[in-house]
Amino acid sequence: MDGQDLLTRIQERGHLHGANQTRRAVQGVLGVLRDMLPTPAFRRLTAHLPADLHPAPPAAGTRPIEVLGCRAFVARVAARLLLEEPDAAFLARVVFEHLNTATSGATPATIAHLVAADLRPLVRAGVTRALPATPQLRITLPAPATATAKRVTAVRH
């Protein structure tokens, strides 16, 4: 899927007013995510995106990787996009959902293991687990009869 199609889908699903607002939302979400990921992982994630969707590069020098939970992530997105937190959470979900379903290569879902556990469901938005082809059965085996019989006879004597 090309960049324009991706922007159009995010714009429609996110109820945004134009391409500039959509670009700003994608850059805001990815910019906060960049602060949480190692540089090579973030480069793999954004390698297939058009250049105009990449967030601004970080300041020169080494940057610490921050571990943010879901609330802190949404609060940072809200601050960056000047939105209320529920709106920022919705936009983040829309962006992740469309990046997960529309792109090839590294997706937010493939790097979800690198973020905090409570943030993973948001980063994996739009990804459904494939059901197994055959039903999974749980087989529980009873305890061996000899062990039970020995205990019973030992108790009786």
Side-chain angles (χ1 to χ4, degrees), residues 30-38 42 58 63-68 76 80:
L30 290 178
V32 175
L33 188 63
R34 179 192 58 219
D35 297 338
M36 302 170 58
L37 294 175
F42 186 75
R63 62 178 175 83
I65 295 174
E66 300 179 60
V67 178
L68 299 176
R76 288 243 183 123
R80 189 172 285 210

Side-chain angles (χ1 to χ4, degrees), residues 45-117:
L45 177 66
T46 58
H48 58 276
L49 294 176
D52 63 335
L53 293 181
H54 290 218
T62 60
R63 62 178 175 83
I65 295 174
E66 300 179 60
V67 178
L68 299 176
C70 190
R71 285 187 175 269
F73 176 82
V74 170
R76 288 243 183 123
V77 171
R80 189 172 285 210
L81 298 178
L82 305 173
L83 295 171
E84 297 293 321
E85 287 187 13
D87 295 332
F90 173 72
L91 279 180
R93 186 186 190 296
V94 168
V95 168
F96 287 137
E97 177 182 331
H98 286 285
L99 289 177
N100 282 327
T101 58
T103 57
S104 59
T107 64
T110 61
I111 53 92
H113 66 282
L114 297 174
V115 299

Side-chain angles (χ1 to χ4, degrees), residues 6 11 18 23 27 30 40 55 59 66 71 89 95 110-111 118-119 126 129-130 135 141 151:
L6 177 65
Q11 180 180 341
R23 234 180 256 104
Q27 290 171 348
L30 290 178
E66 300 179 60
R71 285 187 175 269
V95 168
T110 61
I111 53 92
D118 66 334
L119 183 58
R129 282 190 167 164
L141 299 174
R151 260 189 255 131

